Amino acid sequence: MLENVNEKCAVVGIFGHKEASKLAYFSLHSLQHRGQEAAGISSSNGTKLHTIKDRGLVMQIFDEAKLTTLSGNSAIGHTRYSTAGNDSILDAQPVFARYDLGEMAIVHNGNLTNAQEVRERLIKKGAIFQTFMDTENLIHLIAKSEKEKLLERIIDAVKKIEGAFSLVFLSRTKMFAMRDRHGFRPLSLGRIANGGYVVASETCAFDLIGAEFIRDVEPGELLIFEKDKAPISIKVYEPTPKKCIFEYVYFARPDSSVFGQSVYQMRKNMGAELSKIKPVEADMVIPVPDGGVPSAIGYAQASGIPYEMGIMRNHYIGRTFIEPTQEMRDLKVKMKLSPMIDTIKGKKVIVIDDSIVRGTTSRRIVRMLKDAGATEVHMRISSPPTTDPCFYGVDTPDKNKLIASNMSTEEICEFIEADSLAYLNSDALLRSVHAKDDEYCTACFTGEYII
Ligand code: AMP
């Protein structure tokens, strides 16, 4: 069975800048929250592509000497987040290949839903795969395409894949960026102050490298970057937007603008809505850092209940979610979060987090706050119950491990030992992000999958 190894990731592309790989490096650094398992950069100097990729964090992988090797005016990069067990270096990106038209490299954020089918077809025709990545399908599709030019081959290849993809391709002289027709995953276009263009999963990458946001790459749109030209746009598909609402709930950085709106403001709106529909009397509102911070601010401002820092986060530890065993996850939650005893002792507290997945974090936090002397702990979640897994690029466990798919809110409340538990409902979530029509994918809360 093909593993999903291109889950929540970040992609970046820099074109037409003499320090392209350095800018890609800085961009990846600001996109590190989208994947901490592996990272890589491919650059082109016009005649040859160079690739460096490894396991670990962006800052651990690259240094000045390595970035100097990655010469040229264009570069693409990737940070990878995937489920446990797929930690082979081969599964890091960019995926690089030599083929009849020369050399190419690809980075991908999202999950291809027909990857297994396409791969089996390719294997029957003699293709040899090196990795479990669905992205490798694209290399084969492009290499085997009978079209003459790379642009035509890319279009040919993307028409054979389905699912979620924000892709950046690099050839020796061009760069291409494409978003699937539903635009599940974000991808924005910017202009670099002293020349060139950037595409990146989130706009926080632009801020760091001094680039100005131009617009989002549209769902179904392919952008072509060529020397001394403005990007050329091709509509490969009529857009049918189904943008991932979980980008707003948890995934994107609050200082990014995603799908045209400030992530921070959307999260504050969620907190404000939550305070209106699920009010509770308490002495203070505290966030589960860092994910719960903006919505806790929104909750506190809308309710008038003071906002306090009740939990301290140790920043020298990665996310708890990626550990393979439950024991490790439990231990890491303890290592990561500690109570501010003087602040919470003898107090009734409202704790805000963005989501409950397996329930591990909430249960630990309630216990920790009670052990620290909180008299009441009211858990408020700024999204609806996560009942269904994501097949479009967010790493969620199987349905049977999602606590909300097996237990009612009352049962979860009992399990996490809180005095009360309440979630934001779907309508209030959609209201918070100013949703129009059916433009967001909410499958993780509803089980309604478009593909
Ligand atoms: P759990 O302990 O399994 O209930 O995980 C809940 C915590 O994981 C919350 O604090 C969320 O901020 C965080 N979270 C939610 N979704 C994800 C995800 N896809 N990847 C990593 N962390 C997540």
Coordinates of all heavy atoms in Angstrom, one line a residue, residues 9-14 20-36 38-42 52-53 57-59 61-62 67 70 75-80 93-94 107 198-202 204-206 208-209 253:
C9 N 3.1 19.9 4.5 CA 4.4 20.2 4.1 C 4.4 21.7 3.7 O 3.4 22.3 3.6 CB 4.9 19.4 2.9 SG 4.9 17.6 3.2
A10 N 5.6 22.2 3.4 CA 5.7 23.5 2.9 C 6.5 23.4 1.6 O 7.4 22.6 1.5 CB 6.4 24.4 3.9
V11 N 6.1 24.3 0.6 CA 6.9 24.4 -0.6 C 7.3 25.9 -0.8 O 6.5 26.8 -0.3 CB 6.1 23.9 -1.8 CG1 5.9 22.4 -1.7 CG2 4.8 24.6 -2.1
V12 N 8.4 26.1 -1.5 CA 8.8 27.4 -1.8 C 9.5 27.4 -3.2 O 10.1 26.4 -3.5 CB 9.7 28.0 -0.7 CG1 11.0 27.3 -0.6 CG2 10.0 29.5 -1.0
G13 N 9.4 28.5 -3.9 CA 10.1 28.6 -5.2 C 10.6 30.0 -5.3 O 9.9 31.0 -5.0
I14 N 11.9 30.2 -5.7 CA 12.5 31.5 -5.9 C 12.9 31.6 -7.3 O 13.6 30.6 -7.8 CB 13.7 31.7 -5.0 CG1 13.4 31.5 -3.5 CG2 14.3 33.1 -5.2 CD1 12.6 32.5 -2.8
A20 N 19.2 32.9 -4.9 CA 18.0 32.1 -4.9 C 18.0 31.1 -3.7 O 17.0 31.0 -3.0 CB 17.7 31.5 -6.2
S21 N 19.1 30.3 -3.6 CA 19.0 29.2 -2.6 C 19.0 29.8 -1.2 O 18.4 29.2 -0.3 CB 20.2 28.2 -2.8 OG 21.4 28.9 -2.6
K22 N 19.7 30.9 -1.0 CA 19.7 31.5 0.3 C 18.2 32.0 0.7 O 17.8 31.8 1.8 CB 20.6 32.7 0.4 CG 22.1 32.2 0.6 CD 23.0 33.2 1.1 CE 24.4 32.6 1.1 NZ 25.5 33.5 0.7
L23 N 17.6 32.6 -0.3 CA 16.2 33.0 0.0 C 15.3 31.8 0.2 O 14.4 31.9 1.0 CB 15.7 33.9 -1.2 CG 16.4 35.3 -1.4 CD1 15.6 36.1 -2.3 CD2 16.7 36.0 -0.1
A24 N 15.6 30.8 -0.5 CA 14.7 29.5 -0.3 C 15.0 29.0 1.1 O 14.0 28.6 1.8 CB 15.1 28.5 -1.4
Y25 N 16.2 29.1 1.5 CA 16.6 28.6 2.9 C 15.8 29.4 3.9 O 15.2 28.9 4.9 CB 18.1 28.7 3.1 CG 18.6 28.7 4.5 CD1 18.7 27.5 5.1 CD2 18.9 29.9 5.2 CE1 19.2 27.4 6.4 CE2 19.3 29.8 6.5 CZ 19.5 28.6 7.1 OH 19.9 28.6 8.4
F26 N 15.9 30.8 3.8 CA 15.2 31.6 4.8 C 13.7 31.4 4.7 O 13.0 31.3 5.8 CB 15.5 33.1 4.6 CG 16.9 33.5 5.0 CD1 17.9 33.9 4.1 CD2 17.3 33.3 6.3 CE1 19.2 34.2 4.5 CE2 18.6 33.6 6.8 CZ 19.5 34.1 5.8
S27 N 13.2 31.2 3.5 CA 11.7 31.0 3.4 C 11.4 29.7 4.1 O 10.4 29.6 4.9 CB 11.3 30.9 2.0 OG 11.7 32.0 1.3
L28 N 12.2 28.6 3.9 CA 11.9 27.3 4.5 C 11.9 27.5 6.0 O 11.2 26.8 6.7 CB 12.8 26.3 4.0 CG 12.7 25.8 2.6 CD1 13.7 24.7 2.3 CD2 11.3 25.2 2.4
H29 N 12.9 28.3 6.5 CA 13.0 28.4 7.9 C 11.7 29.0 8.5 O 11.2 28.6 9.6 CB 14.2 29.4 8.2 CG 14.4 29.6 9.7 ND1 14.7 28.6 10.6 CD2 14.3 30.8 10.4 CE1 14.8 29.2 11.8 NE2 14.5 30.4 11.7
S30 N 11.1 30.0 7.8 CA 9.8 30.5 8.4 C 8.6 29.6 8.1 O 7.6 29.8 8.7 CB 9.6 31.9 7.8 OG 9.4 31.8 6.4
L31 N 8.8 28.6 7.3 CA 7.8 27.6 7.1 C 8.0 26.3 7.8 O 7.3 25.3 7.6 CB 7.6 27.3 5.6 CG 7.3 28.5 4.7 CD1 7.4 28.2 3.2 CD2 5.8 28.9 5.0
Q32 N 9.0 26.3 8.7 CA 9.4 25.1 9.4 C 8.2 24.5 10.2 O 8.1 23.2 10.3 CB 10.5 25.5 10.4 CG 11.1 24.3 11.1 CD 12.1 23.5 10.3 OE1 13.2 23.9 10.1 NE2 11.6 22.4 9.8
H33 N 7.2 25.3 10.7 CA 6.1 24.7 11.4 C 5.3 23.8 10.5 O 4.5 23.0 11.1 CB 5.2 25.9 11.9 CG 4.6 26.7 10.8 ND1 5.4 27.6 10.1 CD2 3.4 26.7 10.3 CE1 4.6 28.2 9.2 NE2 3.4 27.7 9.3
R34 N 5.4 23.8 9.2 CA 4.6 22.9 8.4 C 5.3 21.6 8.2 O 4.7 20.7 7.5 CB 4.4 23.6 7.0 CG 3.6 24.9 7.0 CD 3.3 25.4 5.7 NE 2.3 24.7 4.9 CZ 1.0 24.9 4.9 NH1 0.5 25.9 5.7 NH2 0.2 24.2 4.2
G35 N 6.4 21.4 8.8 CA 7.1 20.1 8.6 C 8.5 20.1 9.2 O 9.3 20.9 8.8
Q36 N 8.7 19.2 10.1 CA 10.0 19.2 10.8 C 10.8 17.9 10.6 O 11.8 17.7 11.2 CB 9.8 19.4 12.3 CG 9.1 20.6 12.8 CD 7.6 20.4 12.9 OE1 7.2 19.4 13.4 NE2 6.8 21.4 12.5
A38 N 12.1 16.5 7.5 CA 13.1 16.6 6.5 C 13.0 17.9 5.7 O 11.9 18.5 5.7 CB 13.0 15.4 5.6
A39 N 14.0 18.3 5.1 CA 13.9 19.5 4.2 C 14.9 19.4 3.1 O 15.9 18.6 3.2 CB 14.2 20.7 5.1
G40 N 14.7 20.2 2.1 CA 15.7 20.1 1.0 C 15.5 21.3 0.0 O 14.5 22.0 0.0
I41 N 16.6 21.6 -0.7 CA 16.5 22.6 -1.7 C 17.2 22.1 -3.0 O 18.2 21.4 -2.9 CB 17.3 23.9 -1.2 CG1 16.7 24.5 0.0 CG2 17.4 25.0 -2.3 CD1 17.4 25.7 0.6
S42 N 16.6 22.4 -4.2 CA 17.2 22.2 -5.5 C 17.4 23.6 -6.1 O 16.5 24.4 -6.1 CB 16.4 21.4 -6.4 OG 16.2 20.1 -5.9
I52 N 20.3 19.4 -2.4 CA 20.7 19.0 -1.0 C 19.5 18.7 -0.2 O 18.6 19.6 -0.1 CB 21.6 20.0 -0.4 CG1 23.0 20.1 -1.1 CG2 21.9 19.6 1.1 CD1 23.9 21.1 -0.6
K53 N 19.3 17.6 0.4 CA 18.2 17.3 1.2 C 18.6 16.3 2.3 O 19.5 15.5 2.1 CB 17.0 16.8 0.4 CG 17.2 15.5 -0.4 CD 16.0 15.1 -1.2 CE 16.2 13.9 -2.0 NZ 15.0 13.5 -2.7
L57 N 15.9 19.5 10.8 CA 15.3 20.9 10.6 C 16.2 21.7 9.6 O 17.4 21.4 9.5 CB 15.4 21.6 12.0 CG 14.6 21.0 13.1 CD1 14.8 21.8 14.4 CD2 13.1 21.0 12.8
V58 N 15.5 22.7 9.0 CA 16.2 23.5 8.0 C 17.6 24.0 8.5 O 18.6 23.9 7.8 CB 15.3 24.6 7.6 CG1 15.9 25.5 6.5 CG2 13.9 24.1 7.0
M59 N 17.6 24.5 9.7 CA 18.8 25.1 10.2 C 19.9 24.1 10.5 O 21.1 24.4 10.5 CB 18.5 25.9 11.5 CG 17.9 27.2 11.2 SD 17.7 28.2 12.7 CE 19.3 29.0 12.7
I61 N 20.3 21.3 8.6 CA 20.7 20.7 7.4 C 21.7 21.6 6.6 O 22.6 21.1 6.0 CB 19.5 20.4 6.5 CG1 18.6 19.4 7.2 CG2 19.9 19.8 5.1 CD1 17.2 19.1 6.6
F62 N 21.3 22.9 6.5 CA 22.1 23.8 5.6 C 23.1 24.7 6.4 O 22.8 25.1 7.5 CB 21.1 24.7 4.9 CG 20.2 23.9 3.9 CD1 18.9 23.6 4.3 CD2 20.7 23.5 2.7 CE1 18.1 22.8 3.5 CE2 19.9 22.7 1.9 CZ 18.6 22.4 2.2
L67 N 24.9 26.1 1.0 CA 24.1 27.0 0.2 C 24.9 27.5 -1.0 O 24.4 27.8 -2.0 CB 23.6 28.1 1.1 CG 22.5 27.6 2.1 CD1 22.1 28.7 3.1 CD2 21.2 27.2 1.3
L70 N 24.7 25.3 -3.8 CA 23.4 25.4 -4.5 C 23.3 26.7 -5.3 O 22.6 27.7 -4.9 CB 22.2 25.4 -3.5 CG 22.1 24.0 -2.8 CD1 21.2 24.1 -1.6 CD2 21.6 22.9 -3.7
A75 N 15.6 28.5 -7.3 CA 15.7 27.4 -6.4 C 14.3 27.1 -5.9 O 13.4 27.9 -5.8 CB 16.6 27.8 -5.2
I76 N 14.1 25.8 -5.6 CA 12.8 25.4 -5.0 C 13.2 24.6 -3.7 O 14.2 24.0 -3.6 CB 11.9 24.5 -5.9 CG1 12.6 23.2 -6.3 CG2 11.6 25.3 -7.1 CD1 11.7 22.2 -7.0
G77 N 12.3 24.7 -2.7 CA 12.6 24.0 -1.4 C 11.3 23.4 -0.8 O 10.2 23.7 -1.2
H78 N 11.6 22.6 0.2 CA 10.5 21.8 0.8 C 10.8 21.5 2.3 O 12.0 21.2 2.6 CB 10.4 20.5 0.0 CG 9.2 19.6 0.4 ND1 9.3 18.6 1.3 CD2 7.9 19.6 -0.1 CE1 8.1 18.0 1.4 NE2 7.2 18.6 0.6
T79 N 9.8 21.5 3.1 CA 10.0 20.9 4.5 C 8.9 19.9 4.6 O 7.8 20.1 4.1 CB 9.7 21.9 5.6 OG1 8.4 22.4 5.5 CG2 10.7 23.1 5.6
R80 N 9.3 18.8 5.1 CA 8.4 17.6 5.1 C 7.9 17.2 6.5 O 8.7 17.2 7.5 CB 9.1 16.4 4.5 CG 8.3 15.2 4.5 CD 8.9 14.1 3.7 NE 8.4 12.9 4.3 CZ 9.2 11.9 4.7 NH1 10.5 11.9 4.5 NH2 8.7 10.8 5.2
Q93 N 12.2 15.7 0.0 CA 12.0 16.4 -1.2 C 13.0 17.6 -1.3 O 13.4 18.0 -0.2 CB 10.6 16.9 -1.4 CG 9.6 15.8 -1.5 CD 8.3 16.2 -2.1 OE1 8.1 17.2 -2.7 NE2 7.3 15.4 -1.8
P94 N 13.3 18.2 -2.4 CA 12.8 17.9 -3.8 C 13.1 16.5 -4.3 O 14.1 15.9 -4.0 CB 13.5 19.0 -4.6 CG 13.9 20.0 -3.7 CD 14.2 19.3 -2.4
V107 N 8.7 19.9 -5.9 CA 8.3 19.8 -4.5 C 6.7 19.9 -4.5 O 6.1 20.5 -5.3 CB 8.9 21.0 -3.7 CG1 10.3 20.8 -3.5 CG2 8.6 22.4 -4.3
V198 N 8.7 35.0 -5.9 CA 8.7 33.9 -4.9 C 7.3 33.3 -4.9 O 6.3 34.1 -5.0 CB 9.1 34.4 -3.5 CG1 8.4 35.6 -3.1 CG2 9.0 33.3 -2.5
V199 N 7.2 32.0 -4.8 CA 6.0 31.4 -4.5 C 6.2 30.6 -3.2 O 7.3 30.0 -3.0 CB 5.4 30.4 -5.6 CG1 4.9 31.1 -6.8 CG2 6.5 29.4 -6.0
A200 N 5.2 30.6 -2.3 CA 5.4 29.9 -1.0 C 4.1 29.5 -0.4 O 3.1 30.1 -0.7 CB 6.2 30.8 0.0
S201 N 4.1 28.4 0.4 CA 2.9 27.9 1.0 C 2.2 29.0 1.9 O 1.0 29.0 2.0 CB 3.3 26.7 1.9 OG 3.7 25.7 1.1
E202 N 3.0 29.8 2.5 CA 2.4 30.9 3.4 C 3.2 32.2 3.2 O 4.4 32.2 3.0 CB 2.5 30.5 4.9 CG 1.6 29.4 5.2 CD 1.7 29.1 6.7 OE1 1.8 30.0 7.5 OE2 1.6 27.9 7.1
C204 N 4.1 34.2 5.4 CA 5.2 34.6 6.4 C 6.6 34.4 5.8 O 7.5 35.1 6.3 CB 5.0 33.7 7.7 SG 5.1 32.0 7.5
A205 N 6.7 33.6 4.8 CA 8.0 33.4 4.1 C 8.3 34.7 3.4 O 9.5 35.1 3.3 CB 7.9 32.3 3.1
F206 N 7.4 35.4 2.9 CA 7.6 36.7 2.1 C 8.2 37.7 3.1 O 9.1 38.5 2.7 CB 6.3 37.2 1.5 CG 5.7 36.3 0.4 CD1 4.5 36.7 -0.1 CD2 6.3 35.2 0.0 CE1 3.9 35.9 -1.1 CE2 5.7 34.4 -0.9 CZ 4.5 34.7 -1.5
L208 N 9.9 37.5 5.7 CA 11.3 37.3 6.1 C 12.3 37.7 5.0 O 13.3 38.2 5.3 CB 11.5 35.8 6.5 CG 12.8 35.5 7.1 CD1 13.0 36.1 8.4 CD2 13.0 34.0 7.3
I209 N 11.9 37.4 3.8 CA 12.9 37.7 2.7 C 12.6 39.1 2.0 O 13.2 39.4 1.0 CB 12.9 36.6 1.7 CG1 11.6 36.4 0.9 CG2 13.4 35.3 2.3 CD1 11.7 35.5 -0.3
R253 N 0.7 29.7 10.1 CA 1.2 30.6 11.2 C 0.3 31.8 11.3 O -0.1 32.4 10.2 CB 2.7 31.0 10.8 CG 3.7 30.6 11.9 CD 5.1 30.8 11.4 NE 5.4 32.2 11.2 CZ 6.7 32.6 11.1 NH1 7.7 31.7 11.3 NH2 7.0 33.8 10.9

